[in-house]
């Protein structure tokens, strides 16, 4: 049993427990003592009392009659202790309840007027995403180089984004920084979700402790990574920024240097005999606006590079190297240069254009060559040649006279060798248009074909066994008519395309060679691929034997083979369609996948490699 | 003396908040007649409030320097309530304080920006 005391507070009557009454009385007295001037004291006390009364009546709402000590303590906590209320000078605020942590939860796009180059769009966007403005500016510059998209985007943003003038807006602009606590919170929520789902799925499993640990593991890892990034971020960011800045600075300085050399050549040395061109340079140079257009073109190309180098410098110094005036002048001069170049170039661009067209059209001639009695062919140089079967020998080539005159012919041991000598120019070649020679060679029988040096050939109508060899950047298309073919593709960029039907195919590839077939049928196919070469076949064969090394790749999902033997190693990759029997060996990070349902499968995988059926549920990794 | 010179961050923050409290209260009251617990609510919402008790002496002081005045009005439940409003002098003061705040905000922001 407890005694209760009735009091009147702020015009309302309350019943208090005795302890509650004592506490309240002490509290009010201590406040009262603090004020010296009587009229001030009375007023403040009245205000405080009526506020407490309001709180009490709120506490009494749910069928409660008596104010307890706990109620009084709660009210005092909200009102503050006497020190907190009265002492404005020697304030000791409660550390637990502070401001600012929760402010600025909303985030909005504003232009940042404190960090301006043009209108603060980039820095505003950067503030929104919490990144360094340099990166946003880089994006704008790069977009500007792409058809001026950046300028358009900038103007749109400029119109759409309000200026951040008040501090609230500035806060909103930066928003709440992504802090670790939030990430942890999100991660924890996610882990709870995963845990709940896991529990539902494996309801009868009662090893929740273990389960939770297992399920939480990836979450822990992410947490740890975030923690690491957060800690190292302040250290890494300057390093990355300096690296990127250096790359930009050096690249753009080299660009400016190259441009300047080219411009100097075109201005001062245009009539030099060491400058060789297919264009009538002297004629162009005598045009009235020539120098104006060269200089304006130089500015059009160089100014963005200067801008880029300034951005690079900004990234290195981590301090703005650009200002509104400077960038304004740069952009103004750049636009003026574009305008000047457009106007000036109107005069002589048609001249250049008609000249180029003339070179392209007029100057080709056809020529026949009377070489005979050869059954092997060797092509070197820039030629597009069709080789067809026919009873009589015939060689018809067309091209520019000077290009044709550089051709040399030689028959050696039944092999016709066609090659092209280099230009006999001294000096620097600007605007040189090398034209390819095209034509047709007719011959009754072809035993061997060799292509090197950018030659390209199309072989049609031959049915004897054939040997093909392709070197650097040579390409050939071959129509097979049931014969055997052995081929060797070596040299970077050699390319062979096959079609038709064949007996035995034996092809060796290395050095990034490329083999493809659209619709090929063969009795047996034997491929050896090495060093980044790539074979892509479609069609069918009875026997397929593939060996792959050195990052090479075989795409045979559309090449149906009855019996397959595949041997892959060293990061090679093979895709196979097999019908009856598969014999596969993989080693050293190679991957073999197959489709089809062979009756016999022999697999051997070693060294982090895999051999997988397309519909296999499980992959069998063997270490 | 020397030991007291240590900077107590918590104290500084509280001081900053306190220094602006008067201005904030004037701002809140400027929208018309405002009941005391509405003032408290607005401050709490803006997270500017440490303890409610600090507000009452402040209101009294503002009233005594005739920036504020109040009327008693009937309440639907309980005794009549005090409704505060700005005096012309209060409005003038608020205008001055707003200008001061703007320039203060600007200068501090530029300093923060510069020496961050």
């Amino acid at each position: 049993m407890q005694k209760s005391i009735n009091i009147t507070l702020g015009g309302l009557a309350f019943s208090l427990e005795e302890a509650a009454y004592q506490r309240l009385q002490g509290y009010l007295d201590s406040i009262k003592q603090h004020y010296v001037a009587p009229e001030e004291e009375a007023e403040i006390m009245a205000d405080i009392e009526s506020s407490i009364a309001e709180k009490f009546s709120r506490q009494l709402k749910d069928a409660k009659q008596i104010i307890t000590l706990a109620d009084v303590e709660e009210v005092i906590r909200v009102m503050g202790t006497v020190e907190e209320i009265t002492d404005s000078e020697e304030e000791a605020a409660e550390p637990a309840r502070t401001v600012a942590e929760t402010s600025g939860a909303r985030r909005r796009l504003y232009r940042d007027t404190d960090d301006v180059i043009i209108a603060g769009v980039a820095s505003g966007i950067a503030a929104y995403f919490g990144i360094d403005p340099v990166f946003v500016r880089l994006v704008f510059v790069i977009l500007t180089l792409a058809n001026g998209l950046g300028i358009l985007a900038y103007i749109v943003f400029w119109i759409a984004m309000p200026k951040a003038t008040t501090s609230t807006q500035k806060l909103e602009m930066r928003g709440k920084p992504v802090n670790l606590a939030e990430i942890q919170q999100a991660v924890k929520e996610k882990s709870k979700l995963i845990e709940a789902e896991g529990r539902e799925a494996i309801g009868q499993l009662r090893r929740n402790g273990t389960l939770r640990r297992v399920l939480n593991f990836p979450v822990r890892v992410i947490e740890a990574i975030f923690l690491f990034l957060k800690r190292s971020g302040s250290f890494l960011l300057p390093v990355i920024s300096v690296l990127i800045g250096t790359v930009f600075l050096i690249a753009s300085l080299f660009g400016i240097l190259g441009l300047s050399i080219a411009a100097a050549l075109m201005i001062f040395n245009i009539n030099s005999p060491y400058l060789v061109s297919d264009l009538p340079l002297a004629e162009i140079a005598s045009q009235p606006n020539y120098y104006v257009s060269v200089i304006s073109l130089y500015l059009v190309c160089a100014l963005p590079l200067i801008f880029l180098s300034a951005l690079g410098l900004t990234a290195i110094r981590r301090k703005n190297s650009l200002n509104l005036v400077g960038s304004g002048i740069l952009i103004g001069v750049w636009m003026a240069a574009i305008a000047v170049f457009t106007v000036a170039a109107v005069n002589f661009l048609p001249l250049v254009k008609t000249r180029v067209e003339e070179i392209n059209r007029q100057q080709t001639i056809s020529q026949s060559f009377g070489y005979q009695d050869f059954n092997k062919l060797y092509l070197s140089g820039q030629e597009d040649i069709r080789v067809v079967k026919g009873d009589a020998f015939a060689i018809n080539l067309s091209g520019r006279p000077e290009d044709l005159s550089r051709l040399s012919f030689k028959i050696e041991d039944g092999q016709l060798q066609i090659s092209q000598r280099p230009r006999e120019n001294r000096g620097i070649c600007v605007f040189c248009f090398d034209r390819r020679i095209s034509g047709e060679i007719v011959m009754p029988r072809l035993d061997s074909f060799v292509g090197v040096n950018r030659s390209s050939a199309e072989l049609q109508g031959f049915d004897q066994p054939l040997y093909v060899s392709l070197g650097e950047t040579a390409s050939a298309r071959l129509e097979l008519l049931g014969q055997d073919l052995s081929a060797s593709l070596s040299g970077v960029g050699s390319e062979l395309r096959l079609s038709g039907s064949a007996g035995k195919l034996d092809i060796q590839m290395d050095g990034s060679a490329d083999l493809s077939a659209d619709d090929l049928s063969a009795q047996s196919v034997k491929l050896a691929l090495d060093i980044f070469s790539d074979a892509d076949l479609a069609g069918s064969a009875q026997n397929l034997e593939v060996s792959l090394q050195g990052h090479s790749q075989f795409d045979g999902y559309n090449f149906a083979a009855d019996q397959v033997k595949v041997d892959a190693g060293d990061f090679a990759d093979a895709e196979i369609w097999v019908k009856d029997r598969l014999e596969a060996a993989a080693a050293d990070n190679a991957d073999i996948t197959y489709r089809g349902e062979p009756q016999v499968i022999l697999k051997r995988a070693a060294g982090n490699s895999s051999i997988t059926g397309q519909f296999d549920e499980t992959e069998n990794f063997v270490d | 003396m020397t030991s007291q010179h240590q900077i107590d961050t918590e104290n500084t923050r509280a001081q900053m908040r306190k220094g602006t409290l008067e201005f904030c209260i004037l701002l809140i009251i400027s929208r018309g007649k405002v009941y005391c617990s509405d003032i408290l609510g607005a401050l709490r919402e803006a997270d500017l409030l440490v303890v409610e008790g600090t507000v009452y002496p402040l209101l009294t002081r503002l009233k005594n320097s005739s920036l504020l005045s109040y009327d008693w009005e009937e309440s639907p439940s309980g005794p009549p309530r005090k409704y505060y409003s700005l005096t012309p002098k209060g409005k003038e003061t608020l205008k001055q304080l707003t200008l001061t705040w703007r320039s203060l905000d600007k200068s501090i922001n530029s300093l923060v920006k510069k020496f961050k």
Side-chain angles (χ1 to χ4, degrees):
Chain A
M1 198 181 80
Q2 267 195 325
K3 205 162 79 176
S4 79
I5 295 163
N6 288 328
I7 58 159
T8 315
L9 202 64
L12 292 168
F14 295 100
S15 296
L16 271 73
E17 282 178 12
E18 196 173 19
Y21 172 76
Q22 304 280 355
R23 179 79 178 92
L24 183 63
Q25 173 105 57
Y27 177 63
L28 291 175
D29 280 342
S30 66
I31 296 177
K32 213 182 279 183
Q33 272 167 16
H34 201 273
Y35 292 98
V36 190
E39 68 284 330
E40 199 177 59
E41 180 223 276
E43 197 159 352
I44 293 170
M45 286 318 293
D47 281 341
I48 288 178
E49 279 181 17
S50 64
S51 164
I52 291 174
E54 226 178 88
K55 290 184 173 58
F56 279 172
S57 45
R58 228 176 292 142
Q59 283 168 336
L60 286 179
K61 276 216 170 107
D62 2 300
K64 213 173 83 170
Q65 299 292 318
I66 307 270
I67 301 293
T68 63
L69 181 60
D71 293 333
V72 174
E73 292 292 358
E74 167 66 14
V75 166
I76 291 173
R77 192 184 65 76
V78 175
M79 295 295 291
T81 63
V82 66
E83 288 84 15
E84 288 171 82
I85 297 176
T86 53
D87 252 341
S88 56
E89 301 320 317
E90 37 185 276
E91 164 97 44
E94 281 183 62
R97 289 192 284 142
T98 47
V99 198
E101 260 101 337
T102 49
S103 66
R106 235 166 11 133
R107 192 190 280 256
R108 294 186 58 190
L109 260 180
Y110 286 105
R111 281 187 286 126
D112 187 355
T113 46
D114 296 332
D115 184 7
V116 171
I117 289 182
I118 299 170
V121 169
S123 49
I125 293 173
Y128 184 82
F129 290 110
I131 55 177
D132 199 298
V134 169
F135 300 114
V136 183
R137 287 179 184 136
L138 275 181
V139 170
F140 271 115
V141 169
I142 290 165
L143 283 179
T144 302
L145 297 179
N147 294 332
L149 196 67
I151 295 178
L152 189 72
Y154 196 95
I155 292 169
V156 170
F157 276 118
W158 193 344
I159 295 167
M161 287 162 64
K163 251 198 310 196
T165 38
T166 69
S167 66
T168 321
Q169 287 172 334
K170 279 174 189 168
L171 256 179
E172 282 180 346
M173 181 176 76
R174 293 188 195 285
K176 194 194 277 182
V178 183
N179 59 41
L180 189 63
E182 272 168 60
I183 294 168
Q184 275 173 334
Q185 182 63 30
V187 163
K188 265 178 200 146
E189 273 164 22
K190 183 73 189 166
S191 78
K192 263 183 209 152
L193 195 72
I194 294 172
E195 202 181 292
E197 282 171 358
R199 232 183 247 153
E200 207 172 306
I202 323 170
Q204 64 269 52
L205 258 178
R206 282 179 193 170
R207 288 150 48 205
N208 271 336
T210 325
L211 187 66
R212 187 183 308 157
R213 231 171 290 146
V214 169
L215 289 173
N216 267 349
F217 180 71
V219 176
R220 289 270 151 70
V221 171
I222 293 169
E223 228 172 352
I225 290 172
F226 267 118
L227 206 65
F228 173 76
L229 282 182
K230 168 119 176 131
R231 275 185 196 145
S232 55
S234 52
F235 163 73
L236 270 181
L237 198 67
V239 176
I240 293 170
S241 153
V242 166
L243 273 179
I244 294 177
T246 313
V247 169
F248 263 80
L249 189 64
I250 291 176
S252 46
L253 286 182
F254 268 109
I256 293 171
L257 186 71
L259 269 176
S260 306
I261 291 172
L265 270 178
M266 286 172 75
I267 292 172
F268 301 112
N269 299 325
I270 195 74
N271 291 317
S272 156
Y274 290 101
L275 215 54
V276 182
S277 175
D278 287 338
L279 286 178
L281 286 181
E283 197 182 327
I284 291 174
S286 65
Q287 291 287 310
N289 291 324
Y290 174 74
Y291 292 103
V292 177
S293 8
V294 169
I295 291 169
S296 55
L297 181 63
Y298 171 70
L299 288 178
V300 168
C301 300
L303 286 181
L305 289 176
I306 292 174
F307 197 68
L308 271 185
S309 61
L311 274 181
L313 206 62
T314 304
I316 292 172
R317 293 170 58 209
R318 313 253 304 142
K319 216 171 173 193
N320 206 344
S321 305
L322 292 158
N323 57 40
L324 185 56
V325 180
S327 51
I329 292 174
L330 268 184
I331 290 172
V333 173
W334 186 61
M335 289 188 164
I338 291 178
V340 169
F341 177 73
T342 316
V343 173
V346 161
N347 274 322
F348 69 87
L349 272 190
L351 182 84
V352 174
K353 199 179 159 208
T354 50
R355 190 66 198 181
V356 170
E357 276 170 4
E358 260 173 38
I359 293 169
N360 282 345
R361 181 158 28 84
Q362 217 177 38
Q363 292 178 339
T364 60
I365 56 161
S366 286
Q367 202 176 340
S368 295
F369 299 88
Y371 298 94
Q372 293 208 335
D373 297 330
F374 51 87
N375 57 356
K376 298 171 190 165
L377 207 54
Y378 171 96
L379 288 182
S380 159
Q382 303 198 37
E383 292 127 8
D384 286 312
I385 311 281
R386 238 167 71 97
V387 184
V388 292
K389 186 178 167 128
D391 293 333
F393 287 95
I395 302 171
N396 287 302
L397 303 177
S398 61
R400 288 192 306 182
E402 60 260 46
D403 291 336
L404 282 175
S405 71
R406 279 160 49 215
L407 287 181
S408 74
F409 293 81
K410 191 174 167 192
I411 294 183
E412 201 174 87
D413 198 16
Q415 185 184 50
L416 174 67
Q417 300 171 355
I418 305 179
S419 50
Q420 198 173 24
R421 288 190 303 275
R423 287 181 178 235
E424 286 160 357
N425 295 322
R426 281 169 305 158
I428 307 162
C429 197
V430 285
F431 300 117
C432 290
F433 302 98
D434 265 330
R435 294 285 313 284
R436 297 182 71 86
I437 288 167
S438 60
E440 193 177 70
I441 295 175
V442 184
M443 54 199 289
R445 180 188 164 91
L446 180 65
D447 292 335
S448 144
F449 174 83
V450 178
V452 293
N453 234 344
R454 299 176 71 184
S455 70
S456 152
E458 199 177 330
L459 313 175
Q460 275 181 337
F462 299 100
D463 52 7
Q464 294 88 5
L466 184 60
Y467 170 77
V468 172
S469 166
L470 297 176
E472 292 85 43
T473 65
S475 70
R477 288 165 153 277
L478 173 57
E479 185 193 43
L480 289 161
L481 299 172
Q483 75 267 49
D484 293 348
L485 170 72
S486 71
S488 150
L489 311 184
S490 56
V492 177
S494 58
E495 186 185 342
L496 178 64
R497 315 191 74 188
L498 298 176
S499 62
S501 62
K504 285 183 190 161
L505 284 183
D506 184 355
I507 301 176
Q508 298 195 350
M509 303 164 67
D510 67 36
S512 180
D514 192 15
L515 170 72
S516 62
D518 288 339
D519 187 14
L520 177 74
S521 65
Q523 281 170 15
S524 74
V525 175
K526 192 176 168 190
L527 295 178
L529 286 81
D530 204 349
I531 314 181
F532 289 101
S533 50
D534 184 4
D536 185 355
L537 301 187
S540 63
Q542 285 164 20
N543 282 301
L544 174 64
E545 193 179 332
V546 189
S547 96
L548 300 115
Q549 291 296 327
H551 284 267
S552 58
Q553 190 177 347
F554 176 71
D555 298 326
Y557 257 3
N558 297 312
F559 191 69
D562 299 336
Q563 316 250 333
V564 175
K565 193 175 168 189
V566 56
D567 183 357
D570 195 14
F571 290 95
D573 189 3
E575 292 176 348
I576 297 211
W577 184 6
V578 56
K579 299 241 160 127
D580 292 339
R581 179 191 159 89
L582 173 68
E583 198 177 320
D588 200 8
N589 294 299
D591 289 321
I592 299 176
T593 42
Y594 62 90
R595 64 184 269 219
E597 288 163 0
Q599 277 118 41
V600 182
I601 303 177
L602 298 171
K603 289 185 191 175
R604 187 160 40 84
N608 200 24
S609 62
S610 75
I611 301 174
T612 326
Q614 196 186 22
F615 305 110
D616 276 7
E617 292 289 313
T618 54
E619 298 197 8
N620 55 339
F621 289 101
V622 184
D623 288 319
Chain B
M1 187 72 195
T2 44
S3 65
Q4 284 181 355
H5 270 272
Q6 285 181 334
I7 296 166
D8 183 351
T9 336
E10 203 44 60
N11 191 26
T12 312
R13 291 169 71 177
Q15 294 291 348
M16 284 165 117
R17 227 175 297 138
K18 196 140 202 167
T20 54
L21 200 54
E22 264 177 68
F23 175 43
C24 296
I25 289 173
L26 287 178
L27 267 178
I28 293 166
I29 296 175
S30 72
R31 68 179 180 212
K33 286 193 168 181
V34 187
Y35 178 44
C36 191
S37 59
D38 292 336
I39 299 173
L40 292 172
L43 288 174
R44 206 178 296 123
E45 211 174 305
D47 221 341
L48 279 163
L49 199 59
V50 181
V51 286
E52 285 183 18
T54 43
V55 175
Y56 296 103
L58 213 55
L59 283 172
T60 307
R61 203 182 310 144
L62 288 171
K63 192 219 73 184
N64 286 345
S65 33
S66 43
L67 301 175
L68 295 182
S69 63
Y70 60 79
D71 303 312
W72 290 98
E73 283 194 26
E74 291 299 316
S75 93
S77 60
R81 295 166 163 184
K82 269 181 185 175
Y83 277 81
Y84 289 94
S85 55
L86 289 186
T87 61
K89 192 183 169 196
K91 281 177 189 161
E92 187 52 42
T93 310
L94 178 60
K95 210 183 279 174
Q96 291 300 327
L97 282 177
T98 309
L99 287 176
T100 314
W101 174 255
R102 289 244 164 91
S103 73
L104 195 64
D105 175 54
K106 206 172 167 184
S107 7
I108 289 176
N109 258 316
S110 71
L111 278 182
V112 166
K113 192 85 205 167
K114 204 167 174 184
F115 295 107
K116 194 173 55 171

